[in-house]
Amino acid sequence: MDIGGRRQSSNIEDRRGMRPVRTGVGLSLGGVLFLVVLSLLGINPLPFLGVATQAPEVQMQEAEQPYQESAQEAKLREMTAVVLADTEETWNTILPRYGVEYVEPTLVLFSGAVQSACGAAESAMGPFYCPLDQKVYIDMSFYDDLSSRFGAPGDFAQAYVVAHEVGHHVQNLMGIAKQVHEAQQRVSRTQANEISVRMELQADCFAGVWAKNAAQSRQLLEAGDVEEGLRAASAIGDDRLQKKAQGYVVPDAFTHGSSEQRVRWFRRGLEAGTPEACDTFAAQEL
Ligand SMILES: [Zn+2]
């Protein structure tokens, strides 16, 4: 990508170097997920609330000194801020056409562990979006994982990750996330999982919509960037992730879609450049 001299988003919250400390009793992210799984299974989660709330609440403690970043980390932070700014340009332009005002999300940089409104999370879980506080959470060490563990190096592979998480924010603003969660309450676990896959593939497609706009309106992309993004989409498909983790794949447990599906939807968004191309919920075949 050609990021030199471009605007960096100011919607970045730097929590690197801060450590979560236990301060009391509350819901951990694990506890929240446990309750969500129960309700997906059709089990009333309320009686289990006590179990889940036994997890200690984690609060972030201010670092005593500002985080000292390396030159390499500074470069990654700048790239992340430029990509975030470019997603702001894109969605500020596109969403009003659908009668939706784009509320810019905050991107939280963290190291090791972080507390979100959706609960506490660790770097190992990968980047995520919390709809409750409308923030994207990224530990930039994931960029290293992309390159070294998943074979997807390059700044555009990293940009794709940011754009995918912003895609979840767009789903939230468009009311898609709410509809999806309501639908998931009424169906079996397998069906709820399939809905999750459609949701993830739509975020991939929205990342493609961003890439098209970044290329067309602001010439952000360079030769080879799209290939980097496609490699990342393919590398972090659930089938590849599961194979890495356990040596075999279990299609029923997919929540992000296969590598092939992720590539297909990213490409679809990239070619069309508009969210209409991203109706994964109406698609017969994913
Ligand atoms: Zn996702």
Side-chain angles (χ1 to χ4, degrees), residues 164-165 168 200 203 256 262:
H164 171 93
E165 298 307 330
H168 284 310
E200 291 303 328
H256 276 76
R262 297 197 73 168

Side-chain angles (χ1 to χ4, degrees), residues 208-256:
V209 170
W210 161 73
K212 165 91 170 190
N213 282 269
Q216 211 168 29
S217 310
R218 292 171 296 280
Q219 292 78 47
L220 182 69
L221 272 58
E222 290 173 325
D225 278 344
V226 166
E227 288 71 21
E228 277 178 21
L230 290 170
R231 214 176 298 134
S234 150
I236 54 185
D238 281 346
D239 45 354
R240 294 278 293 276
L241 289 181
Q242 286 203 8
K243 246 190 219 152
K244 277 233 148 54
Q246 51 186 162
Y248 58 91
V249 292
V250 190
D252 204 31
F254 281 12
T255 50
H256 276 76

Side-chain angles (χ1 to χ4, degrees), residues 82-99:
V82 166
V83 170
L84 184 63
D86 207 280
T87 62
E88 290 162 1
E89 308 285 342
T90 298
W91 294 110
N92 271 318
T93 310
I94 292 180
L95 277 197
R97 292 186 211 146
Y98 301 87

Side-chain angles (χ1 to χ4, degrees), residues 35-47:
L35 295 178
V36 169
V37 168
L38 285 181
S39 41
L40 287 178
L41 291 170
I43 300 166
N44 178 7
L46 283 181

